[in-house]
Amino acid sequence: VLASLALCCLAVVLLREVIVPTHSRSINFSPGIDVLVPGHTPACDMESTVASALEKLRSGQVEFGAETPHWDAKHGHCDCDSTLASSEGNCRWPEGGERMPTATIVHALVDLGRLRRSACDYLNFFLPHLMRNVSMVVYTEAWAMTYVQAVRKHMGLEAKTIVRLLQASSDEEGGIFYQLLPQMQEVGNRNFLKLAYTRSARGGRVVAKYSWVNHLKQELLRRVARENPFGTEFFVWMDAGAGHGHVRVPQNLCVCASAVPGTVTLFHRRSSAEELFEVGLNGLTEQRWKEWDFWNREMEEVMGTFFLGDAAGLELLWKDYYGLVTRLLRDGYSDHDQAMLAILAAEKPSYLRFVSSD
């Protein structure tokens, strides 16, 4: 009996200390759950990264894309009823939408210890988004604050910028989901062998800090919506690395297609909402996800890269999202935000709207 107990204990230690960390490295993550460590400095040259970004801006190497639909350049604001904008497709102004909506963009940047992309690579990915002429709140660690502030200052956008330090010293600063990191990693360790057998041991299921940083989006966007430091009506989440620096973004931002009070708009990968529910999310339920999808399928139908809503809609989403994450953790499951959003979307709550990302 003692020998069997010793072997079981050895197997658990090997799984936690050797097997899962080795797998984490193989999928591009440093092992462990250490994030938001005070005084952390990434293993790349921050000074030259800042200098390079400013030189790119001075020399015009980074350009804006085509102006956003519905932008009224003459009056300097969005006009969703503008005859200059297309009334068709995904940019059309929906019934019940605000005619001249205002929005705050929220970003976050944390060093997760990616092994094939440095923190400086992610700053370079972030550069086009920081150029936008829009009210912006950026949550990040101390090492990235100088970069963000330098770029926004160069663009003359200091008055439209708030940079906040993310740290783990309290619930308010480190976040609600941060407190769940140890539990998420323990769940990932327990599920690893079966996930490896089904070839589904991907980042969000076995690397807790990857799930955490994706869940953090909901928490930070809700926080900004509650504070509303710029007095806007809508709040947009945009991943700092969206497009990996290759996408030319418009200088201004209009959210006409999503500016419906009391709602949150999610973007998906199908050509229409009908196709999303008839094909992509067909038959999906929380129970089925636990029994089959979690073990066999990467759930990417609903995107977590960007989404938006007003304060009322985001409160509704937060309640459902946080409840789902904690309920699944209690039942022994952990995954990233796209899986959570897909499960919630499949229920078709009245406050959610769906727009194709094309």
Side-chain angles (χ1 to χ4, degrees), residues 276-349:
L276 172 67
F277 291 106
E278 292 173 5
V279 180
L281 302 180
N282 185 33
L284 178 64
T285 64
E286 183 178 334
Q287 188 60 35
R288 195 198 77 178
W289 182 85
K290 290 191 293 186
E291 294 174 355
W292 191 85
D293 297 88
F294 175 77
W295 305 104
N296 297 282
R297 178 185 179 190
E298 182 74 359
M299 191 63 69
E300 296 181 330
E301 294 289 342
V302 180
M303 302 173 66
T305 309
F306 48 90
F307 58 95
L308 64 125
D310 69 353
L314 291 168
E315 285 291 342
L316 293 171
L317 178 58
W318 167 259
K319 179 181 178 181
D320 287 347
Y321 190 98
Y322 179 73
L324 178 61
V325 170
T326 53
R327 187 166 62 249
L328 290 174
L329 266 180
R330 180 197 64 204
D331 293 343
Y333 302 88
S334 180
D335 207 344
H336 58 58
D337 61 326
Q338 291 184 101
M340 304 300 106
L341 292 173
I343 294 170
L344 293 177
E347 297 176 356
K348 297 184 181 179

Side-chain angles (χ1 to χ4, degrees), residues 29-228:
F29 289 97
S30 60
I33 61 172
D34 290 336
V35 289
L36 304 183
V37 177
H40 170 69
T41 302
C44 61
D45 190 338
M46 295 299 305
E47 185 175 344
S48 66
T49 301
V50 173
S52 175
L54 295 179
E55 177 56 32
K56 288 177 182 177
L57 295 175
R58 282 191 289 266
S59 61
Q61 295 180 48
V62 186
E63 298 178 344
F64 289 112
E67 190 53 273
T68 184
H70 301 286
W71 178 254
D72 185 342
K74 180 179 179 180
H75 298 99
H77 59 65
C78 296
D79 185 348
C80 300
D81 197 29
S82 172
T83 57
L84 299 177
S86 171
S87 61
E88 304 298 327
N90 295 333
C91 288
R92 66 181 180 273
W93 183 32
E95 183 178 354
E98 297 288 341
R99 176 174 174 176
M100 297 181 183
T102 56
T104 298
I105 288 186
V106 181
H107 298 284
L109 188 61
V110 179
D111 185 12
L112 295 183
R114 292 273 195 167
L115 298 180
R116 291 191 290 274
R117 293 178 189 152
S118 71
C120 292
D121 289 333
Y122 276 94
L123 287 176
N124 291 328
F125 296 163
F126 199 9
L127 179 59
H129 302 290
L130 290 172
M131 294 166 56
R132 289 181 185 270
N133 182 16
V134 63
S135 299
M136 182 179 295
V137 178
V138 180
Y139 287 90
T140 190
E141 297 173 283
W143 57 267
M145 297 181 80
T146 298
Y147 182 97
V148 174
Q149 291 163 340
V151 171
R152 295 294 280 178
K153 180 179 180 179
H154 178 89
M155 300 300 298
L157 297 171
E158 291 173 287
K160 291 186 175 183
T161 308
I162 295 174
V163 184
R164 291 182 173 164
L165 180 65
L166 268 178
Q167 51 188 349
S169 59
S170 72
D171 286 352
E172 176 62 22
E173 295 163 333
I176 299 168
F177 284 117
Y178 182 85
Q179 317 305 320
L180 300 178
L181 262 170
Q183 186 180 355
M184 286 192 285
Q185 190 58 63
E186 180 59 32
V187 166
N189 292 346
R190 289 203 306 265
N191 290 332
F192 175 75
L193 292 179
K194 184 176 179 180
L195 286 168
Y197 176 75
T198 60
R199 299 185 178 183
S200 298
R202 300 180 181 92
R205 295 167 183 168
V206 295
V207 181
K209 58 188 175 183
Y210 183 67
S211 291
W212 161 74
V213 81
N214 282 288
H215 297 327
L216 188 62
K217 303 173 187 181
Q218 301 291 336
E219 189 171 339
L220 297 181
L221 193 60
R222 171 178 176 251
R223 187 184 301 178
V224 173
R226 283 184 158 191
E227 297 173 1
N228 199 5

